Amino acid sequence: MSPLLRLSWLLLLLVPWGAQAQGWLAPFTEQQETEFLEAKDVFRVEATAGDDGRTLLRGEIAPGYYLYRHRLSVVGKSGALPLTLSKGKEKTDEFFGRTEVYYDAVDISVVGGGATSAVLHWQGCADAGICYPPQTTRVELPFVAKTAVDASATDARATDAQTKTLAEATAAKSPQSAPAAAATMPATPVSASQPAAHGSAAASTMASASAA
């Protein structure tokens, strides 16, 4: 067999093996080519004023990424702030085992406690196989200043009402109220003939006694 024919047969044998090898390496090549988002683009938060002195934080999570529930906290100057989290999804994680995570979005209700801003702590991962170190995001608490003013005004109105009620109760118990009540009572008219009648009766009684 000529050298040229042998080379042709060798190429025909190598082509299928090369295609199969490319198929084996494709997953590794795709994983290496995956572009992951920066942490600041994974989780975005918007704050709005809520009822009863609360701030509502709406967190949007990028598709294909998730956040750990137990890694979410809001910290003010005086420490961690009370918060309420929406329901998450159970997941078996390679780092924390069975845990609760959030996909797509999470709702956080925070009691500001007088703080005008706070720091949101979070940590998450990508389904494609990368996890981010713990992250922090500063958030504003827009409700606090307005709520404080409203509370002061409410307390002032309550104090004025209590003072007025106390003054009215004190006035009702004062001794001066009795003469005032008596002064309003109608006087009973007395005729001029009544004293004379009483005097005549007394004179008749004395005369009878002398005669006896």
Side-chain angles (χ1 to χ4, degrees):
M1 182 181 293
S2 65
L4 182 59
L5 185 58
R6 289 179 180 178
L7 181 59
S8 300
W9 277 103
L10 181 61
L11 290 175
L12 290 174
L13 292 174
L14 289 178
V15 168
W17 284 102
Q20 186 174 1
Q22 185 177 2
W24 290 341
L25 295 175
F28 301 98
T29 305
E30 291 177 359
Q31 185 173 1
Q32 291 178 354
E33 293 178 353
T34 301
E35 294 183 0
F36 296 100
L37 296 175
E38 295 184 15
K40 64 182 181 63
D41 297 323
V42 171
F43 186 45
R44 298 181 181 273
V45 183
E46 181 180 354
T48 58
D51 298 331
D52 300 328
R54 292 177 176 269
T55 292
L56 303 179
L57 301 178
R58 175 70 175 182
E60 299 290 340
I61 306 169
Y65 295 80
Y66 60 91
L67 267 61
Y68 296 108
R69 178 189 175 99
H70 69 279
R71 289 294 192 180
L72 283 167
S73 64
V74 181
V75 180
K77 292 182 179 180
S78 59
L81 301 177
L83 55 82
T84 303
L85 297 168
S86 58
K87 179 67 176 177
K89 178 181 178 181
E90 288 190 359
K91 180 181 178 64
T92 301
D93 184 77
E94 61 179 321
F95 298 104
F96 297 104
R98 190 170 183 177
T99 185
E100 188 172 350
V101 300
Y102 294 101
Y103 282 93
D104 301 324
V106 56
D107 293 316
I108 308 172
S109 177
V110 184
V111 179
T116 57
S117 65
V119 177
L120 174 63
H121 295 253
W122 64 274
Q123 185 177 13
C125 298
D127 286 329
I130 184 175
C131 284
Y132 296 86
Q135 303 291 317
T136 58
T137 303
R138 177 162 292 277
V139 293
E140 300 298 325
L141 305 180
F143 75 90
V144 174
K146 181 178 180 180
T147 303
V149 172
D150 292 343
S152 299
T154 302
D155 292 342
R157 288 193 295 269
T159 302
D160 291 342
Q162 292 176 356
T163 303
K164 183 178 179 181
T165 302
L166 181 62
E168 291 176 351
T170 303
K173 294 180 180 181
S174 175
Q176 296 178 355
S177 60
T184 59
M185 295 178 61
T188 303
V190 179
S191 63
S193 60
Q194 288 181 354
H198 288 298
S200 300
S204 298
T205 303
M206 291 178 64
S208 299
S210 301

